[in-house]
Structures are given as C-alpha cells and as structure tokens.
Amino acid sequence: MSSDTHRVAILVYDGVKLLDVVGPAEVFGEANLLGAGYRVDLVSTTGADVASSMGMRIAVDCGAAAAADPGTFLVPGGDIYPRTPVTRDLVEAARDLAGRSGRVASVCSGAFVLGATGLLDGKRATTHWKIAGELAARHPRTRVEPDAIYVRDGTTYTSAGVTAGIDLALALVEEDHGPDVSREVARSLVVYLQRAGGQSQFSAPLQGPPPRSPALRRVVDLVTADPTGNHSLTELAGHLNLSTRHLTRLFREELGTTPARYVESIRFDIAKSLLDQGHTATRAASLAGFPSYESLRRVFARELAISPAAYQRRFATARRARAE
C-alpha cells in the first residue's frame, strides 16, 4: 500500500441509506482518476454484509475492529435513526474508528451515531432539517445548525441530508488536494461545487403537497436545484414545451401562486440564509439571484416588514442570546 494512500472507512449498518454511502464514495473514486489516492473500505460492526434501507445488500470489506486506521471515518445516515436509540455495538464501533482516524464525518442522521459516542459534545453540527430539532434535544451539548449544508468543527464534519454528503465529500477532497481537483470532480459528476444558501432553500418549497402534474414537478425540481439560474416564465415554459399561459394556469391551480412568485420565494429563502451566514445584503441579493439589492429589499418589506439589514441584526442578536 502506497504511503500516499488515504483510507476512508465508511461504517454501514442495516437500514443505512444507500445514497449516503455511494454519494461520497463516488466523489472519492472520481478524485482518484485525477491522481488522488483514496481507498474506500466499507466496514460493519461485525464484518457481516448489511441491508440498505431499500433492501439492497451491501458487501462489507471487514469488521470495525479489523479495519486499518483510516484517514477519514464517515458515518452515513439511515431512516432507523433517530426513530430508535443507536445500538451499543454501533456506538462502540464508531468510537473505535473515530479514535483511530484523522478526521470524522457524518451524513444526515449519521450525526446521531456520532452524537451517541459523545464526539459532538461542545461542537457545532448539522443534520437533515427535518430532524435537526431532535438532534439538538437529544444532545444538548451540541450546537446544531439546522440550515447548514455541512459544518466543520475542528476535525469533525457533519452534513445535511442525502445529497449533502456529496457536498461534504467535495469539501474533503478540496482540503486534501485543492480547489482545482474538487472542481473537476464536481464537473465530472455534474453537481455544484458549492451550493448557495442553506437547507432552507430546499425545505421551504417542499413543505406543501407535491404538484400532481408531472410537468410541474419537473419545474419545481429545476428551480429548487438551481435557484440562481434563468427561470423566467418563458424559459420555464420552453423547458417543458408548454405555452406560458398553460404553465401559469398549472402553477395557479396546483400551487396557488405564479411561476415568478415561486422562484422569488426560493431566492428569498436563500438570501435569508446568506444574511444569516454574515454576507452583506448586496452580496446576498446577488448570490440569491435578485437583480439588485433594491429588489431584495422590496421582498423583505413585503414578507417580513423589515429591511434585510434589520433582519440580519435581529438574527445576530438572537444567535448571541442562544449562545449565552
């Protein structure tokens, strides 16, 4: 084994979400085509194969105790947590691997496994927005950031749900091999190198019932995946080979809004997240896809009856209060 090899141990278990495993693994594998030296080992508590949440069997390389010391130790998520307590054998395996690794990471509800080991005590962390409250309640010594795509605290990394594991893996590749390699990996996998905003841009539009129309579901997916793109009524209609009148009617009947207002609402959520992260209002407006600061200010006045700057000050005050 080359001294340049970086071992990545992924701890899998019955009920693990398959994309949480293969998403990061594909990032590391793609980086290897560009000269990286990652070796991904799938590890279980006993060395036995496991079944994913969709029933697909996952072949395991070895048990946790037999695994070589990893440079990166990653715990993927699964629907089983946080519905049930983390099992003792999984906690012990995670604690052992974490103690022998250079850095520790989790995807989605994998943060509950790290939390059960005590590894998140006194640290910042994130998980899927739907279960962030449960993580905070179960681990009060952890400062949960529910809107983050991923969080780094020292050598501990946690990420949001499912595809955010890809964002996290790209960040790890960039840390190891620089931005050029991570950028090429992102381009090869046709994913964003760094998504603007936080989880709110994904959670907010999905809180209502999904559209019935397959065409409208495609529009929702398109806007949610790339909220800063050109999503004018004409552009959206062209993607679906529909008339602008028909698309407008679909939005009105199924979502109770217009295409323009829907796009604006997503950009509004992104702008709020960027302000929360400390960006200036002008920068937040630009990154969120607003044509100007003034257009963002008008939306804030309509939705919250305050300016972006006032919102940012209020958020900062609330954050300091929570920290105290």
Side-chain angles (χ1 to χ4, degrees):
M1 185 69 65
S2 169
S3 60
D4 294 333
T5 297
H6 182 122
R7 284 186 176 272
V8 179
I10 302 179
L11 180 60
V12 295
Y13 48 88
D14 285 333
V16 71
K17 193 173 287 292
L18 194 60
L19 188 53
D20 285 10
V21 178
V22 300
E26 282 290 349
V27 170
F28 296 126
E30 198 69 29
N32 284 345
L33 300 180
L34 300 171
Y38 294 107
R39 160 72 182 269
V40 177
D41 295 315
L42 300 184
V43 178
S44 67
T45 57
T46 64
D49 293 349
V50 301
S52 72
S53 59
M54 60 183 294
M56 185 176 294
R57 302 295 298 179
I58 298 176
V60 168
D61 295 300
C62 63
D69 294 351
T72 299
F73 166 52
L74 186 144
V75 185
D79 296 333
I80 187 173
Y81 307 115
R83 290 188 288 110
T84 62
V86 182
T87 60
R88 178 177 296 182
D89 60 340
L90 194 57
V91 170
E92 291 175 350
R95 185 177 288 123
D96 170 51
L97 287 166
R100 298 190 280 120
S101 67
R103 62 190 176 196
V104 177
S106 68
V107 180
C108 196
S109 62
F112 284 82
V113 178
L114 295 185
T117 68
L119 289 168
L120 298 184
D121 288 353
K123 295 183 178 180
R124 298 161 45 247
T126 194
T127 188
H128 194 288
W129 60 272
K130 282 187 175 181
I131 54 177
E134 176 64 23
L135 182 66
R138 191 174 296 187
H139 302 289
R141 294 183 60 192
T142 301
R143 190 170 68 190
V144 178
E145 299 184 1
D147 196 43
I149 298 296
Y150 65 86
V151 169
R152 174 186 178 181
D153 192 323
T155 57
T156 301
Y157 302 72
T158 52
S159 70
V162 194
T163 57
I166 295 175
D167 297 80
L168 173 60
L170 285 169
L172 297 177
V173 169
E174 180 171 350
E175 180 179 294
D176 295 337
H177 299 284
D180 291 342
V181 173
S182 61
R183 185 180 300 111
E184 287 303 311
V185 172
R187 291 179 60 189
S188 179
L189 295 178
V190 197
V191 296
Y192 294 104
L193 179 61
Q194 185 173 15
R195 285 186 270 186
Q199 293 190 64
S200 59
Q201 64 184 291
F202 306 103
S203 62
L206 299 179
Q207 287 177 352
R212 297 183 303 275
S213 165
L216 197 51
R217 286 199 297 271
R218 287 179 58 196
V219 171
V220 172
D221 290 342
L222 178 67
V223 176
T224 304
D226 184 17
T228 61
N230 178 8
H231 299 305
S232 65
L233 175 59
T234 301
E235 190 75 15
L236 291 175
H239 274 292
L240 301 176
N241 197 27
L242 298 175
S243 69
T244 56
R245 177 177 297 181
H246 182 48
L247 183 58
T248 299
R249 180 177 60 81
L250 285 176
F251 264 93
R252 183 178 63 251
E253 292 178 353
E254 297 192 32
L255 294 179
T257 189
T258 66
R261 182 58 63 86
Y262 181 80
V263 172
E264 184 183 74
S265 70
I266 295 175
R267 288 172 170 158
F268 174 60
D269 285 334
I270 295 172
K272 286 193 299 180
S273 176
L274 290 167
L275 289 170
D276 294 347
Q277 296 169 30
H279 291 274
T280 66
T282 301
R283 181 65 172 162
S286 175
L287 291 175
F290 284 92
S292 67
Y293 164 74
E294 183 59 28
S295 61
L296 175 63
R297 189 195 64 78
R298 286 195 296 267
V299 176
F300 263 82
R302 185 185 70 231
E303 298 294 332
L304 300 178
I306 59 175
S307 69
Y311 168 84
Q312 191 173 46
R313 287 194 300 270
R314 184 175 300 178
F315 175 84
T317 300
R319 181 168 53 188
R320 284 194 299 268
R322 288 196 301 269
E324 295 170 357

